[in-house]
Amino acid sequence: MDRLSRGLVVGQAPPLPPELLSSDYKPLQGQPEKRLARLAGLSLDELWTLFDRLDLLGWCPGKKDRKSYHLWSAGYRKHRCDGHRFPLPTARLVAARLRRFGGLERYAVVVLCGRLVAAAFGLNLDRSVPWTEETDGVRFLVLPHPSGVSHFWNDEESWHRAAVVFRSALRVAGLTCQAEIDGVASVQSQDGEDIAADSDTTPRGSGTACCSDAARAEPVRSKFFQLAKVSEDCSSKGLQH
């Protein structure tokens, strides 16, 4: 079987009801796609040149109810949004049809945004994000959901690990743009600053989807990743904002 020279990104659901969405709405539009592009070291145009995208659910299930201890009146001062509901039984039905009829095995890699989407596809949840899994010929990469609701993105080490694994997945899957740089792989943090993967000042290219030897994380254990060792430890290489 020949795999497509493209990947697929699967999000949860649209953020708003259909009547409130813009006429040019696309899945993961806005901040989520910007975060994915920064993780991959790509521009938005480059990201969607390499990937198709879809929402697993075609409608917005609505926002989650706010817990009492998350209320502003209770002194909570972190995120102001708790995300959206995700009816897992329905999502599992949709995911099952996608796996049977969607031709997912032809994609070079299928990126699932968040553990809930991974659960809908029946993946093994006994691990932490990011992780890879190959089942029934489909190569899955599970990333944290790229919305700002996820606390994962508040931790610098977690950010770097997700970036290194994503870039490694692109390289192993053969999804690369025109320019690959054999030097520093830098990722842009969510507040706009560059997170340099090395102390050198090698300029960042416009389309790198590779993981340099300087940006290293833990080994990735998967049949998909036939890499002896992706890397050792981000913090040992002086990663900093």
Side-chain angles (χ1 to χ4, degrees), residues 155-165 187 195-196 234 239-240:
D155 179 68
E156 181 178 344
E157 182 177 347
S158 297
W159 174 278
H160 279 288
R161 174 162 171 74
V164 169
V165 172
V187 187
I195 300 174
C234 290
L239 301 182
Q240 58 185 1

Side-chain angles (χ1 to χ4, degrees), residues 64-182:
K64 292 179 181 176
D65 295 327
R66 178 131 263 215
K67 295 181 173 62
S68 59
Y69 53 82
H70 281 165
L71 295 175
W72 189 262
S73 59
Y76 189 78
R77 294 295 184 269
K78 294 184 179 179
H79 62 274
R80 301 298 301 275
C81 177
D82 294 309
H84 292 77
R85 298 185 180 93
F86 190 69
L88 196 53
T90 303
R92 282 176 172 150
L93 289 174
V94 178
R97 291 187 65 83
L98 271 175
R99 294 192 67 164
R100 184 171 181 180
F101 304 112
L104 299 185
E105 69 281 355
R106 295 191 60 219
Y107 282 101
V109 62
V110 177
V111 179
L112 305 181
C113 295
R115 294 177 63 86
L116 289 175
V117 177
F121 278 87
L123 300 193
N124 180 9
L125 300 181
D126 189 24
R127 59 190 74 185
S128 58
V129 288
W131 83 82
T132 65
E133 188 171 329
E134 182 170 356
T135 176
D136 297 329
V138 182
R139 297 169 166 180
F140 290 107
L141 167 63
V142 182
L143 291 176
H145 196 280
S147 76
V149 174
S150 175
H151 289 183
F152 182 94
W153 306 116
N154 296 335
D155 179 68
E156 181 178 344
E157 182 177 347
S158 297
W159 174 278
H160 279 288
R161 174 162 171 74
V164 169
V165 172
F166 194 12
R167 294 185 186 201
S168 297
L170 292 176
R171 184 176 62 179
V172 173
L175 298 179
T176 54
C177 284
Q178 297 177 2
E180 278 199 0
I181 295 183
D182 296 325

Side-chain angles (χ1 to χ4, degrees), residues 15-33:
L16 297 168
E19 63 273 14
L20 298 180
L21 291 172
S22 63
S23 59
D24 60 348
Y25 168 77
K26 294 181 177 61
L28 300 164
Q29 199 169 49
Q31 185 59 39
E33 65 179 347

